[in-house]
Amino acid sequence: MAVSSTNAEMAARWAVFDPAWYCARYAPVLDMMGVDAASAHEFYDTHGATLGHSPNAFFDEIWYCATYPEVADGITQGAWRSGFAHYLQVGLRTHSPHWLFDEQAYRATYPDVTLAMMDSQGYRNGYDHYLRAGDGEMRTGSCFFDPAAYLALVPGSGRDAAAHPFVDYMLRGMPTVMDKAVSVYFDAEWYVQTYPGVQAEMERGEWQSALHHYLCNTTPVAFDPGPFFSESFYGAVNPDVLAAVECGELRNGYAHFLADGVFEQRKPCSMFDLAEYMRIPAVQADIAAGRARDGFGHYLVTRPDLRPPPPPPVTEEQARALFRHMCAVRLPLLLGGRIDFSSDAPPELSVIIIAHNQFAMTMSTLASLRANHHGPMQVLVVDSGSRDGVASIEQHVRGIEVLRFAGNIGFLRGCNAALARVRAPATLYLNNDVDLQFGAIANALARLGADDTTGAVGARVVRTHGMLQEAGSIIWRDGSVQGYMRDAHPAVPEAGFVRAVDFCSGVFLMVRTDVLRVLEGFDEGYAPAYFEETDLCVRIRMLGYTIMYDPAVCLVHYECGTSDSTSAARLIARNSALFTRTHARPLRRKLLRHDALQARARHADGGQRHILFIEDRLPLRHLGSGFTRSNDIIATLAELGYQVTVYPIFRPIEDAATLAASFPPGVEIIHDRELPDLPDFLNARAGCFDAIWIARTHNAARVASILNNAAAFLPDASSWIPKP
């Protein structure tokens, strides 16, 4: 870059004697000796250097000689007049001139500051670059100085401070913020409160600031930089560091921690587990994006320990009340024909909705359906004896077909009545108390059409308080059923991949119309409702079709929004017994109901083999190296028909969208766990895997003891080369 006049002035300033600064800094001595400004330079040359005086604000003579004892010895032996003389003549590129600048660290932090670049652009060293250019670019030469933190303390300093924060701090700002933190890595206020003697020494002019004392005092292991680093603790638990400090290789434990220990995730004090904190994906993401230097600095900035406790979670009852309230609030906006399903094109989908009263909810569901998919649809609304606005719903929604019954005929009979009028190749059974999420209809149609053997598609169903109702459903040997992952967070890995299941809820069930006609819809023995979709899915599978769960098909469901809980419980009990009697033979092949067997029972795969694939990280193709190969292996295994679960040694920091686009939809990606969680994972998945594929030999060493301890849960060696 071109050197401006300001930068040129700075280039001269740090390498020469500054009489104005010198007279102000050492005024008591100069006054006592009767030295005026005109003779200050001569005094420095004759006596000042010997007294340990610094020639300007940007070089600290005492610190330099203490940091480099060989220089101090050279001065004693007459090889150098001062540390400053040594620095200018031989130390420019090997030594640091000040306690707030580290020459080697600066060049390592900013790879563009190379020796070649400095030579070509006229910079004498990294410090020269920092003062002339880097400071104005908000770079820093030390962990202990953050330009943004300093500028926040002195907002009225004007353009000079903003243009050169470090220069301003050295020339003018330090006395004004002597007990304030200019970096998260040093808590100045805590420091002067914890060590009150430091405050007294600063008032006597012995130290320019609390930070100056910390970095330059002669007993560095006696002082901690803040409440989250303890010299005594760090030395006690890290004998290698203690030995290096005692022999003079390190100033103190904190110097090691900031340079190396923080990246090795060593504990800085007894009450803060840095390694545990670094397992938080958001922390890893912030560091990867450059928003924090390291996990310790991230913690000091965010201080999660000071956050107010989170409010109590919203109860399902509260969430359900809010759902109903919002349907009522939305209703006036939907009246008068504003929802329009009219189309001259043949429908690609027929939607059957049964409504018994609940006008506001039904209208909200229809609005959600129209907003979710703009393709041609046939919408069949069955008015099952409603006494509210549903009785005249066609006056408010254009393009729908209404089947009206005088009494409440129930969900099942209403669906069968509507089936006779279906015109599209796909039929969607949809509850009237749902809110479809983005792309639900299009994703379900795509999944249904992706394979001729797919008979029906179901959704990831989320209840009003944000927890899962189901991610596919399980049929157990005793005929009981279970929504897989009920009450879990919707983003758990177990709910995030496509798979064949026993059945999916009739809340959202998209079925091939020709299959429905063969089966004549729901079995009316289950009327008016409950277990009818379970029975239907069993019969669809008996025809050789699969029932697919697709997490990309997502909706919020009020759950029991259109029936009272007493009648629902009675009907569920009756129809459960009917289902068990009707399907006694296929039920014998089901697993016994047990929580530990859910991971096996969640698949209705007809004997597909399951592989656990272990890698350093989730193998995203853009990472290159062996990760591209691992990604290809996973994709190939899935294409060959294997079920694949990918487990990373290190928890991923990538966002959900990146992960979703990086693997086949049927691959389970364990994105919320890592190596320390592997033993519990294997225990929970006992008997699930037919083979374990470990990518990279060093990972085999990492997991060897874990696999040995979990031997009872692992596949037999004879089955480690499975066939789909």
Side-chain angles (χ1 to χ4, degrees), residues 484-509:
Y484 181 59
M485 299 307 295
R486 183 179 177 88
D487 294 324
H489 191 284
V492 295
E494 290 82 353
F497 67 105
V498 175
R499 66 185 186 282
V501 296
D502 289 338
F503 78 100
C504 289
S505 167
V507 172
F508 182 110
L509 186 64

PDB file of all heavy atoms in Angstrom, residues 484-509:
ATOM      1  N   TYR A 484     -42.950 -42.715  16.828  1.00  0.00           N
ATOM      2  CA  TYR A 484     -41.504 -42.725  17.071  1.00  0.00           C
ATOM      3  C   TYR A 484     -41.014 -41.323  17.404  1.00  0.00           C
ATOM      4  O   TYR A 484     -41.354 -40.353  16.743  1.00  0.00           O
ATOM      5  CB  TYR A 484     -40.784 -43.270  15.840  1.00  0.00           C
ATOM      6  CG  TYR A 484     -39.282 -43.353  15.999  1.00  0.00           C
ATOM      7  CD1 TYR A 484     -38.709 -44.115  17.019  1.00  0.00           C
ATOM      8  CD2 TYR A 484     -38.438 -42.672  15.133  1.00  0.00           C
ATOM      9  CE1 TYR A 484     -37.334 -44.195  17.169  1.00  0.00           C
ATOM     10  CE2 TYR A 484     -37.055 -42.755  15.266  1.00  0.00           C
ATOM     11  CZ  TYR A 484     -36.511 -43.511  16.293  1.00  0.00           C
ATOM     12  OH  TYR A 484     -35.146 -43.579  16.443  1.00  0.00           O
ATOM     13  N   MET A 485     -40.224 -41.224  18.463  1.00  0.00           N
ATOM     14  CA  MET A 485     -39.593 -39.991  18.946  1.00  0.00           C
ATOM     15  C   MET A 485     -40.603 -38.983  19.493  1.00  0.00           C
ATOM     16  O   MET A 485     -40.336 -37.788  19.565  1.00  0.00           O
ATOM     17  CB  MET A 485     -38.733 -39.329  17.864  1.00  0.00           C
ATOM     18  CG  MET A 485     -37.578 -40.172  17.359  1.00  0.00           C
ATOM     19  SD  MET A 485     -36.514 -40.806  18.686  1.00  0.00           S
ATOM     20  CE  MET A 485     -35.832 -39.295  19.354  1.00  0.00           C
ATOM     21  N   ARG A 486     -41.756 -39.442  19.920  1.00  0.00           N
ATOM     22  CA  ARG A 486     -42.722 -38.522  20.532  1.00  0.00           C
ATOM     23  C   ARG A 486     -42.070 -37.797  21.705  1.00  0.00           C
ATOM     24  O   ARG A 486     -41.355 -38.401  22.501  1.00  0.00           O
ATOM     25  CB  ARG A 486     -43.962 -39.280  20.996  1.00  0.00           C
ATOM     26  CG  ARG A 486     -45.053 -38.354  21.581  1.00  0.00           C
ATOM     27  CD  ARG A 486     -46.284 -39.125  22.011  1.00  0.00           C
ATOM     28  NE  ARG A 486     -47.267 -38.241  22.625  1.00  0.00           N
ATOM     29  CZ  ARG A 486     -48.218 -37.575  21.982  1.00  0.00           C
ATOM     30  NH1 ARG A 486     -48.324 -37.718  20.666  1.00  0.00           N
ATOM     31  NH2 ARG A 486     -49.060 -36.781  22.611  1.00  0.00           N
ATOM     32  N   ASP A 487     -42.315 -36.524  21.810  1.00  0.00           N
ATOM     33  CA  ASP A 487     -41.805 -35.623  22.853  1.00  0.00           C
ATOM     34  C   ASP A 487     -40.354 -35.205  22.634  1.00  0.00           C
ATOM     35  O   ASP A 487     -39.804 -34.446  23.436  1.00  0.00           O
ATOM     36  CB  ASP A 487     -41.954 -36.221  24.259  1.00  0.00           C
ATOM     37  CG  ASP A 487     -43.402 -36.379  24.673  1.00  0.00           C
ATOM     38  OD1 ASP A 487     -44.214 -35.507  24.308  1.00  0.00           O
ATOM     39  OD2 ASP A 487     -43.735 -37.374  25.345  1.00  0.00           O
ATOM     40  N   ALA A 488     -39.716 -35.687  21.565  1.00  0.00           N
ATOM     41  CA  ALA A 488     -38.349 -35.253  21.262  1.00  0.00           C
ATOM     42  C   ALA A 488     -38.394 -33.944  20.472  1.00  0.00           C
ATOM     43  O   ALA A 488     -39.430 -33.537  19.942  1.00  0.00           O
ATOM     44  CB  ALA A 488     -37.610 -36.327  20.463  1.00  0.00           C
ATOM     45  N   HIS A 489     -37.231 -33.297  20.397  1.00  0.00           N
ATOM     46  CA  HIS A 489     -37.122 -32.092  19.573  1.00  0.00           C
ATOM     47  C   HIS A 489     -37.230 -32.491  18.101  1.00  0.00           C
ATOM     48  O   HIS A 489     -36.675 -33.509  17.687  1.00  0.00           O
ATOM     49  CB  HIS A 489     -35.781 -31.405  19.829  1.00  0.00           C
ATOM     50  CG  HIS A 489     -35.680 -30.033  19.239  1.00  0.00           C
ATOM     51  ND1 HIS A 489     -35.485 -29.818  17.897  1.00  0.00           N
ATOM     52  CD2 HIS A 489     -35.763 -28.805  19.809  1.00  0.00           C
ATOM     53  CE1 HIS A 489     -35.458 -28.521  17.658  1.00  0.00           C
ATOM     54  NE2 HIS A 489     -35.615 -27.881  18.805  1.00  0.00           N
ATOM     55  N   PRO A 490     -37.934 -31.710  17.282  1.00  0.00           N
ATOM     56  CA  PRO A 490     -38.105 -32.102  15.874  1.00  0.00           C
ATOM     57  C   PRO A 490     -36.809 -32.220  15.085  1.00  0.00           C
ATOM     58  O   PRO A 490     -36.783 -32.870  14.041  1.00  0.00           O
ATOM     59  CB  PRO A 490     -38.977 -30.964  15.308  1.00  0.00           C
ATOM     60  CG  PRO A 490     -39.680 -30.389  16.488  1.00  0.00           C
ATOM     61  CD  PRO A 490     -38.730 -30.520  17.636  1.00  0.00           C
ATOM     62  N   ALA A 491     -35.722 -31.583  15.574  1.00  0.00           N
ATOM     63  CA  ALA A 491     -34.468 -31.593  14.816  1.00  0.00           C
ATOM     64  C   ALA A 491     -33.527 -32.715  15.234  1.00  0.00           C
ATOM     65  O   ALA A 491     -32.385 -32.751  14.765  1.00  0.00           O
ATOM     66  CB  ALA A 491     -33.758 -30.242  14.971  1.00  0.00           C
ATOM     67  N   VAL A 492     -33.958 -33.645  16.082  1.00  0.00           N
ATOM     68  CA  VAL A 492     -33.055 -34.729  16.468  1.00  0.00           C
ATOM     69  C   VAL A 492     -32.701 -35.567  15.242  1.00  0.00           C
ATOM     70  O   VAL A 492     -33.519 -35.700  14.314  1.00  0.00           O
ATOM     71  CB  VAL A 492     -33.674 -35.621  17.573  1.00  0.00           C
ATOM     72  CG1 VAL A 492     -33.862 -34.850  18.860  1.00  0.00           C
ATOM     73  CG2 VAL A 492     -34.991 -36.227  17.101  1.00  0.00           C
ATOM     74  N   PRO A 493     -31.493 -36.117  15.199  1.00  0.00           N
ATOM     75  CA  PRO A 493     -31.088 -36.903  14.018  1.00  0.00           C
ATOM     76  C   PRO A 493     -32.033 -38.044  13.718  1.00  0.00           C
ATOM     77  O   PRO A 493     -32.270 -38.377  12.548  1.00  0.00           O
ATOM     78  CB  PRO A 493     -29.700 -37.421  14.407  1.00  0.00           C
ATOM     79  CG  PRO A 493     -29.194 -36.456  15.427  1.00  0.00           C
ATOM     80  CD  PRO A 493     -30.397 -36.000  16.190  1.00  0.00           C
ATOM     81  N   GLU A 494     -32.579 -38.675  14.746  1.00  0.00           N
ATOM     82  CA  GLU A 494     -33.446 -39.835  14.559  1.00  0.00           C
ATOM     83  C   GLU A 494     -34.698 -39.499  13.743  1.00  0.00           C
ATOM     84  O   GLU A 494     -35.307 -40.391  13.137  1.00  0.00           O
ATOM     85  CB  GLU A 494     -33.848 -40.412  15.915  1.00  0.00           C
ATOM     86  CG  GLU A 494     -32.722 -41.082  16.674  1.00  0.00           C
ATOM     87  CD  GLU A 494     -31.828 -40.132  17.453  1.00  0.00           C
ATOM     88  OE1 GLU A 494     -31.992 -38.889  17.312  1.00  0.00           O
ATOM     89  OE2 GLU A 494     -30.964 -40.607  18.218  1.00  0.00           O
ATOM     90  N   ALA A 495     -35.090 -38.215  13.755  1.00  0.00           N
ATOM     91  CA  ALA A 495     -36.284 -37.800  13.013  1.00  0.00           C
ATOM     92  C   ALA A 495     -35.934 -37.171  11.675  1.00  0.00           C
ATOM     93  O   ALA A 495     -36.828 -36.716  10.959  1.00  0.00           O
ATOM     94  CB  ALA A 495     -37.090 -36.801  13.844  1.00  0.00           C
ATOM     95  N   GLY A 496     -34.660 -37.176  11.309  1.00  0.00           N
ATOM     96  CA  GLY A 496     -34.213 -36.381  10.183  1.00  0.00           C
ATOM     97  C   GLY A 496     -33.879 -37.123   8.912  1.00  0.00           C
ATOM     98  O   GLY A 496     -33.215 -36.546   8.038  1.00  0.00           O
ATOM     99  N   PHE A 497     -34.307 -38.371   8.744  1.00  0.00           N
ATOM    100  CA  PHE A 497     -33.974 -39.092   7.505  1.00  0.00           C
ATOM    101  C   PHE A 497     -35.163 -39.908   7.016  1.00  0.00           C
ATOM    102  O   PHE A 497     -36.040 -40.303   7.789  1.00  0.00           O
ATOM    103  CB  PHE A 497     -32.745 -39.984   7.713  1.00  0.00           C
ATOM    104  CG  PHE A 497     -32.954 -41.142   8.648  1.00  0.00           C
ATOM    105  CD1 PHE A 497     -33.078 -42.434   8.157  1.00  0.00           C
ATOM    106  CD2 PHE A 497     -33.017 -40.958  10.016  1.00  0.00           C
ATOM    107  CE1 PHE A 497     -33.269 -43.514   9.001  1.00  0.00           C
ATOM    108  CE2 PHE A 497     -33.204 -42.025  10.881  1.00  0.00           C
ATOM    109  CZ  PHE A 497     -33.322 -43.305  10.369  1.00  0.00           C
ATOM    110  N   VAL A 498     -35.182 -40.142   5.725  1.00  0.00           N
ATOM    111  CA  VAL A 498     -36.270 -40.879   5.078  1.00  0.00           C
ATOM    112  C   VAL A 498     -36.124 -42.368   5.357  1.00  0.00           C
ATOM    113  O   VAL A 498     -35.016 -42.916   5.298  1.00  0.00           O
ATOM    114  CB  VAL A 498     -36.241 -40.622   3.553  1.00  0.00           C
ATOM    115  CG1 VAL A 498     -37.290 -41.468   2.842  1.00  0.00           C
ATOM    116  CG2 VAL A 498     -36.447 -39.137   3.267  1.00  0.00           C
ATOM    117  N   ARG A 499     -37.228 -43.028   5.632  1.00  0.00           N
ATOM    118  CA  ARG A 499     -37.166 -44.483   5.836  1.00  0.00           C
ATOM    119  C   ARG A 499     -38.555 -45.092   5.660  1.00  0.00           C
ATOM    120  O   ARG A 499     -39.575 -44.408   5.758  1.00  0.00           O
ATOM    121  CB  ARG A 499     -36.630 -44.822   7.233  1.00  0.00           C
ATOM    122  CG  ARG A 499     -37.517 -44.408   8.351  1.00  0.00           C
ATOM    123  CD  ARG A 499     -36.873 -44.664   9.721  1.00  0.00           C
ATOM    124  NE  ARG A 499     -37.806 -44.393  10.795  1.00  0.00           N
ATOM    125  CZ  ARG A 499     -38.116 -43.192  11.243  1.00  0.00           C
ATOM    126  NH1 ARG A 499     -37.551 -42.130  10.702  1.00  0.00           N
ATOM    127  NH2 ARG A 499     -38.997 -43.036  12.206  1.00  0.00           N
ATOM    128  N   ALA A 500     -38.558 -46.390   5.403  1.00  0.00           N
ATOM    129  CA  ALA A 500     -39.801 -47.149   5.348  1.00  0.00           C
ATOM    130  C   ALA A 500     -40.246 -47.460   6.766  1.00  0.00           C
ATOM    131  O   ALA A 500     -39.436 -47.858   7.608  1.00  0.00           O
ATOM    132  CB  ALA A 500     -39.601 -48.437   4.560  1.00  0.00           C
ATOM    133  N   VAL A 501     -41.535 -47.249   7.053  1.00  0.00           N
ATOM    134  CA  VAL A 501     -42.056 -47.418   8.411  1.00  0.00           C
ATOM    135  C   VAL A 501     -43.288 -48.315   8.394  1.00  0.00           C
ATOM    136  O   VAL A 501     -43.835 -48.634   7.335  1.00  0.00           O
ATOM    137  CB  VAL A 501     -42.407 -46.046   9.027  1.00  0.00           C
ATOM    138  CG1 VAL A 501     -41.161 -45.182   9.179  1.00  0.00           C
ATOM    139  CG2 VAL A 501     -43.462 -45.316   8.192  1.00  0.00           C
ATOM    140  N   ASP A 502     -43.714 -48.700   9.605  1.00  0.00           N
ATOM    141  CA  ASP A 502     -44.926 -49.525   9.712  1.00  0.00           C
ATOM    142  C   ASP A 502     -46.153 -48.748   9.247  1.00  0.00           C
ATOM    143  O   ASP A 502     -46.977 -49.249   8.484  1.00  0.00           O
ATOM    144  CB  ASP A 502     -45.122 -49.983  11.154  1.00  0.00           C
ATOM    145  CG  ASP A 502     -44.110 -51.027  11.579  1.00  0.00           C
ATOM    146  OD1 ASP A 502     -43.545 -51.691  10.701  1.00  0.00           O
ATOM    147  OD2 ASP A 502     -43.873 -51.171  12.796  1.00  0.00           O
ATOM    148  N   PHE A 503     -46.282 -47.522   9.733  1.00  0.00           N
ATOM    149  CA  PHE A 503     -47.408 -46.684   9.308  1.00  0.00           C
ATOM    150  C   PHE A 503     -47.127 -45.242   9.679  1.00  0.00           C
ATOM    151  O   PHE A 503     -46.202 -44.941  10.445  1.00  0.00           O
ATOM    152  CB  PHE A 503     -48.728 -47.159   9.922  1.00  0.00           C
ATOM    153  CG  PHE A 503     -48.948 -46.760  11.368  1.00  0.00           C
ATOM    154  CD1 PHE A 503     -49.762 -45.675  11.695  1.00  0.00           C
ATOM    155  CD2 PHE A 503     -48.358 -47.470  12.403  1.00  0.00           C
ATOM    156  CE1 PHE A 503     -49.974 -45.317  13.018  1.00  0.00           C
ATOM    157  CE2 PHE A 503     -48.577 -47.123  13.735  1.00  0.00           C
ATOM    158  CZ  PHE A 503     -49.388 -46.034  14.043  1.00  0.00           C
ATOM    159  N   CYS A 504     -47.916 -44.343   9.105  1.00  0.00           N
ATOM    160  CA  CYS A 504     -47.861 -42.930   9.454  1.00  0.00           C
ATOM    161  C   CYS A 504     -49.260 -42.462   9.810  1.00  0.00           C
ATOM    162  O   CYS A 504     -50.260 -42.987   9.317  1.00  0.00           O
ATOM    163  CB  CYS A 504     -47.324 -42.098   8.292  1.00  0.00           C
ATOM    164  SG  CYS A 504     -45.566 -42.334   7.959  1.00  0.00           S
ATOM    165  N   SER A 505     -49.323 -41.456  10.636  1.00  0.00           N
ATOM    166  CA  SER A 505     -50.598 -40.959  11.138  1.00  0.00           C
ATOM    167  C   SER A 505     -51.466 -40.412  10.020  1.00  0.00           C
ATOM    168  O   SER A 505     -50.988 -39.833   9.038  1.00  0.00           O
ATOM    169  CB  SER A 505     -50.339 -39.862  12.176  1.00  0.00           C
ATOM    170  OG  SER A 505     -51.529 -39.159  12.473  1.00  0.00           O
ATOM    171  N   GLY A 506     -52.783 -40.566  10.200  1.00  0.00           N
ATOM    172  CA  GLY A 506     -53.749 -40.010   9.260  1.00  0.00           C
ATOM    173  C   GLY A 506     -53.880 -38.507   9.344  1.00  0.00           C
ATOM    174  O   GLY A 506     -54.648 -37.908   8.584  1.00  0.00           O
ATOM    175  N   VAL A 507     -53.134 -37.882  10.246  1.00  0.00           N
ATOM    176  CA  VAL A 507     -53.095 -36.415  10.282  1.00  0.00           C
ATOM    177  C   VAL A 507     -52.668 -35.887   8.917  1.00  0.00           C
ATOM    178  O   VAL A 507     -53.210 -34.905   8.413  1.00  0.00           O
ATOM    179  CB  VAL A 507     -52.108 -35.932  11.372  1.00  0.00           C
ATOM    180  CG1 VAL A 507     -51.896 -34.427  11.287  1.00  0.00           C
ATOM    181  CG2 VAL A 507     -52.606 -36.326  12.743  1.00  0.00           C
ATOM    182  N   PHE A 508     -51.668 -36.559   8.327  1.00  0.00           N
ATOM    183  CA  PHE A 508     -51.205 -36.267   6.966  1.00  0.00           C
ATOM    184  C   PHE A 508     -50.758 -37.596   6.385  1.00  0.00           C
ATOM    185  O   PHE A 508     -49.709 -38.118   6.749  1.00  0.00           O
ATOM    186  CB  PHE A 508     -50.035 -35.276   6.995  1.00  0.00           C
ATOM    187  CG  PHE A 508     -49.524 -34.879   5.628  1.00  0.00           C
ATOM    188  CD1 PHE A 508     -49.731 -33.594   5.161  1.00  0.00           C
ATOM    189  CD2 PHE A 508     -48.828 -35.771   4.813  1.00  0.00           C
ATOM    190  CE1 PHE A 508     -49.247 -33.204   3.905  1.00  0.00           C
ATOM    191  CE2 PHE A 508     -48.358 -35.399   3.571  1.00  0.00           C
ATOM    192  CZ  PHE A 508     -48.569 -34.110   3.114  1.00  0.00           C
ATOM    193  N   LEU A 509     -51.563 -38.150   5.494  1.00  0.00           N
ATOM    194  CA  LEU A 509     -51.218 -39.417   4.859  1.00  0.00           C
ATOM    195  C   LEU A 509     -51.570 -39.321   3.382  1.00  0.00           C
ATOM    196  O   LEU A 509     -52.739 -39.250   3.003  1.00  0.00           O
ATOM    197  CB  LEU A 509     -51.972 -40.578   5.514  1.00  0.00           C
ATOM    198  CG  LEU A 509     -51.575 -41.976   5.034  1.00  0.00           C
ATOM    199  CD1 LEU A 509     -50.119 -42.283   5.392  1.00  0.00           C
ATOM    200  CD2 LEU A 509     -52.498 -43.043   5.640  1.00  0.00           C
TER     201      LEU A 509
END
